[in-house]
Each structure stands twice: as structure tokens, then as C-alpha cells.
Amino acid sequence: MRLLSIASGSSGNCIYVGDDTTHILIDAGISGKRIEAGLNSIGVSGKDLDAVFVTHEHIDHISGIGVLSRKYDVPIYATNGTIAGISTTRSVGDIDDQLYQVIHKNENITVGGLLIKAVPISHDAAEPVCYTITNGKSHAAIATDMGCYSEEIVENLKGMDAILLEANHDVNMLQVGPYPYYLKQRILGNKGHLSNETAGKLLCELLHDDLKYVLLGHLSKENNLPQLAHEAVRLEITMGETPYQANDFDITVASRSEPTKLLEF
Ligand SMILES: [Zn+2]
Ligand SMILES: [Zn+2]
């Protein structure tokens, strides 16, 4: 399988996952043009898309979905709550009702040669989920936008070859930063976003010998720095109760605005 983060951050998210025959996106929260350019950079076209799976209705995950669905008739898979949220977001424009495919939490969906599972997450949206994707041989997970993680999340995210994991903010930068108090509380809360440190702790529970790639994503523009996220997560591994060192794994930070290196596994 292949995984490309076309954009990952609090101002837009779009992740490509696919193999030779099946091509899907997780979220479409950037412009149609940027999605196309990202796909083209790895030899895939918008026409090739088999599905878009949406994690939740926040605008940084859906802003390009109207354009994409109107241009290519791509089916949109999402939970009922997320579909309701997309339909009432006027800026995405009209979407043909027939393109919506309702998914339920913990359900496995087959699209072409891929099996996609929606796992519920804790976030301040209607019915948010993260996704795991497998072709039977390789396994990937896209897990962002969660204020905390449960045992259910840990169990579902184990055994991956590649994982894109949220490392949203540095708690100190957030606390002394420019955001108003209510927003700081929202981000720090159980339905907000994972800090660098918490991302590192979650990752420690997911490490195994065959984990090939870790991409840290959904970084905040105001409250994080790529190097800080990288170092904080690496430190959790090295200091944590695992048999591993940070250097045992390929850990990189996904760019907020550009495609990050193509992962093949
Ligand atoms: Zn988001
Ligand atoms: Zn969100």
C-alpha cells in the first residue's frame, strides 16, 4: 500500500491511501486544486478516486469535498452525524445525496481491494471517527482530532505498518500563546486535540517490530513547531516503558501545507 499526506494540520487535512487498484482519501479539507496536485504528484488522478472517507464535519476536513464530489462523483463515506454536519455546511455547496454512504462505528467497509474500519474517537464533533485501512497484507491508520484515547483506540491501532498520528500542540506553547481562554480549554479538553506528549504516550502503546512509518500530523500553526513535536514524541519513546529507542523507528512530521514523502509498505 501507499500513503501520502497531501496536507495535515489545523488548516486543512487530506490523506491519500491506496494500492495499484484502489484509491481513497481520508478527508478532503483543502481545495480541489491542491488535492488534484497532490494526487498527480504520485501518478494518481481525481478520476481514479474510489471513495472519500470523512472523519468529522469540521471545516479543515471537508472544505474541498463539495468540489471533489461534483467533479468526480466520488462516494462520500461518513457516519450519520458527520453527514448531517456536512449537509449543513453551506460553504461546501450542494452534494448529491446519492453520493453519501452511511457508515457505522466499528463497521468494516470494503472498497475495491481495501477494507476500511471506522473507530470512534473523542472530539467535539457530531459523530467523529478515525480509520484503519488494510489490503489484507499491509495495515495503515489515520488517527487525528482526539482529545484523549481509549483502550478501544489502542487495540484498533495496534499492528500497523504505517500510522499518521495527531501531535497537535505543545501544552506550554498553547498555555502562553495568543488563543482566548475558552479555546485553550477546548483544545486541552477530552474532546479537543492530542498534545505532543500524549501522542508520544499513545505511540508507545502501538510500537512493534514491524512498524515502518510514523507520521506526526495535524500540527497547530500557533501552538506547535515540527521540531518540537518530533523531539517530544521521540523523548516519550526513549524515556517510556518500552523495549525500544526512538531511533528504532522512522518518525517524521507531516507538512501542514504540502505533500509529505510517499510511504510505501
Ligand atoms: Zn481537524
Ligand atoms: Zn476537528
Side-chain angles (χ1 to χ4, degrees):
M1 288 199 320
R2 303 198 296 167
L3 185 156
L4 179 74
S5 169
I6 299 175
S8 181
S10 43
S11 39
N13 296 276
C14 182
I15 315 298
Y16 164 86
V17 182
D19 62 10
D20 292 341
T21 54
T22 308
H23 308 281
I24 68 169
L25 293 179
I26 307 295
D27 291 327
I30 53 174
S31 73
K33 237 182 216 168
R34 287 176 60 200
I35 295 173
E36 291 254 28
L39 291 172
N40 292 345
S41 75
I42 54 165
V44 178
S45 144
K47 293 197 297 288
D48 300 326
L49 288 174
D50 295 292
V52 181
F53 283 77
V54 182
T55 57
H56 63 295
E57 71 278 17
H58 289 162
I59 197 71
D60 56 317
H61 298 261
I62 64 167
S63 62
I65 202 145
V67 173
L68 209 65
S69 69
R70 285 188 291 277
K71 192 163 178 191
Y72 297 113
D73 278 335
V74 194
I76 299 166
Y77 290 77
T79 58
N80 268 316
T82 297
I83 291 173
I86 299 172
S87 331
T88 51
T89 304
R90 292 182 62 182
S91 61
V92 302
D94 288 334
I95 292 175
D96 185 346
D97 276 346
Q98 296 191 340
L99 290 177
Y100 287 120
Q101 304 285 329
V102 177
I103 57 172
H104 299 100
K105 59 181 184 182
N106 294 316
E107 186 181 5
N108 285 295
I109 304 278
T110 304
V111 173
L114 300 179
L115 192 69
I116 299 103
K117 182 176 181 185
V119 181
I121 54 173
S122 176
H123 191 53
D124 57 352
E127 199 181 351
V129 295
C130 66
Y131 291 104
T132 62
I133 304 108
T134 179
N135 63 358
K137 289 193 288 259
S138 305
H139 303 267
I142 313 295
T144 66
D145 296 74
M146 53 179 95
C148 58
Y149 59 87
S150 59
E151 196 50 41
E152 184 183 23
I153 293 276
V154 172
E155 285 312 310
N156 277 285
L157 300 185
K158 277 181 176 169
M160 297 295 140
D161 296 284
I163 180 164
L164 189 153
L165 184 63
E166 171 168 61
N168 177 257
H169 56 273
D170 174 79
V171 173
N172 291 322
M173 276 182 80
L174 177 69
Q175 276 167 341
V176 303
Y179 281 12
Y181 178 78
Y182 78 89
L183 193 52
K184 290 181 182 180
Q185 293 309 110
R186 197 215 119 198
I187 294 168
L188 289 167
N190 274 352
K191 294 194 161 191
H193 291 277
L194 284 187
S195 69
N196 296 339
E197 198 185 329
T198 314
K201 290 193 163 63
L202 170 54
L203 184 58
C204 282
E205 304 213 36
L206 308 176
L207 296 174
H208 63 101
D209 288 355
D210 298 321
L211 176 63
K212 297 180 186 71
Y213 297 109
V214 177
L215 255 186
L216 302 175
H218 209 294
L219 268 68
S220 163
K221 186 178 177 201
E222 308 286 343
N223 305 310
N224 211 350
L225 294 165
Q227 208 168 351
L228 200 55
H230 194 237
E231 276 312 309
V233 167
R234 286 172 51 84
L235 193 66
E236 289 297 326
I237 297 175
T238 300
M239 305 299 282
E241 309 232 322
T242 78
Y244 299 107
Q245 300 287 316
N247 283 339
D248 296 336
F249 301 95
D250 182 321
I251 304 172
T252 44
V253 177
S255 164
R256 293 170 42 81
S257 54
E258 287 161 32
T260 306
K261 69 173 182 179
L262 178 64
L263 310 184
E264 299 189 69
F265 49 92

